[in-house]
Amino acid sequence: MAKKFNFRLESVLKLRSEKVLQAQDSLYQAQRIRLEKEKIIDNYHQLKKELNYEDKKFLKAANLQAISNHKEHLNQEIERLGKEKQQILEIEEFRRQKLRKAMVDERALEKLKERRLNDHADAIKSEESKFFDEVARNLNKE
């Protein structure tokens, strides 16, 4: 009876697969944070645009000053969030590279497992062939 295929590095392959999943989660987290920052920036741009369209004819000077201060604050927030977004993009790229490396490592072990499985299948076929040849020789002898 043929032996069952057993890949000795299965535990290492599982660890590498887990590493890939962790790297994916880490990348998705960075992407989610970046998208949230982009959404906030877009909201600030929209709010700033709405402040520009207010009817300024009937506003008092204090209200105009408040609007101007609010716009300045929005500009500062947009700039700050833009810098944060840039940092997050750098983190995202780093995590993407980490994921790429983890996937390469995992794929290498998967290829090795595939080759070993093919070798095992070939060995089983060879054993079967030898067995049937021996049976045929024994039948011919009788």
Side-chain angles (χ1 to χ4, degrees):
M1 173 115 185
K3 290 172 63 174
K4 181 180 173 190
F5 175 71
N6 186 18
F7 186 56
R8 291 184 308 148
L9 299 174
E10 190 67 39
S11 59
V12 176
L13 179 59
K14 285 181 183 178
L15 284 174
R16 290 197 179 167
S17 297
E18 183 63 30
K19 219 176 195 182
V20 167
L21 291 175
Q22 288 174 350
Q24 284 176 338
D25 289 344
S26 179
L27 175 62
Y28 294 153
Q29 180 185 21
Q31 289 174 336
R32 183 180 45 80
I33 292 171
R34 177 184 46 87
L35 291 173
E36 288 173 0
K37 295 288 183 199
E38 288 175 350
K39 186 176 179 182
I40 293 171
I41 290 171
D42 288 342
N43 287 341
Y44 283 168
H45 280 296
Q46 185 64 31
L47 185 58
K48 201 169 99 175
K49 193 185 290 185
E50 289 172 7
L51 287 175
N52 285 333
Y53 290 127
E54 281 192 23
D55 190 14
K56 296 176 182 160
K57 294 178 189 175
F58 304 108
L59 292 177
K60 294 181 181 179
N63 289 343
L64 286 174
Q65 185 63 40
I67 290 172
S68 175
N69 290 341
H70 194 179
K71 283 185 201 176
E72 183 60 32
H73 174 70
L74 288 175
N75 284 334
Q76 290 172 358
E77 284 296 304
I78 289 170
E79 186 177 325
R80 181 184 62 81
L81 289 170
K83 289 177 183 176
E84 286 180 14
K85 179 183 155 193
Q86 189 60 39
Q87 291 173 342
I88 292 170
L89 283 170
E90 291 171 6
I91 291 170
E92 191 177 325
E93 183 56 34
F94 172 76
R95 290 181 179 179
R96 188 172 284 116
Q97 290 172 358
K98 190 175 176 181
L99 173 61
R100 202 172 295 125
K101 183 184 180 321
M103 290 175 80
V104 166
D105 291 345
E106 179 190 34
R107 186 69 186 141
L109 267 182
E110 286 176 348
K111 287 274 191 185
L112 178 62
K113 181 179 180 179
E114 192 175 302
R115 275 195 308 262
R116 296 269 170 91
L117 183 60
N118 288 339
D119 292 346
H120 179 74
D122 291 344
I124 288 175
K125 286 179 185 176
S126 175
E127 284 180 27
E128 286 178 355
S129 176
K130 287 178 185 177
F131 174 76
F132 288 129
D133 287 347
E134 190 176 313
V135 168
R137 270 187 253 129
N138 287 341
L139 286 176
N140 288 338
K141 286 180 182 177
E142 291 178 3

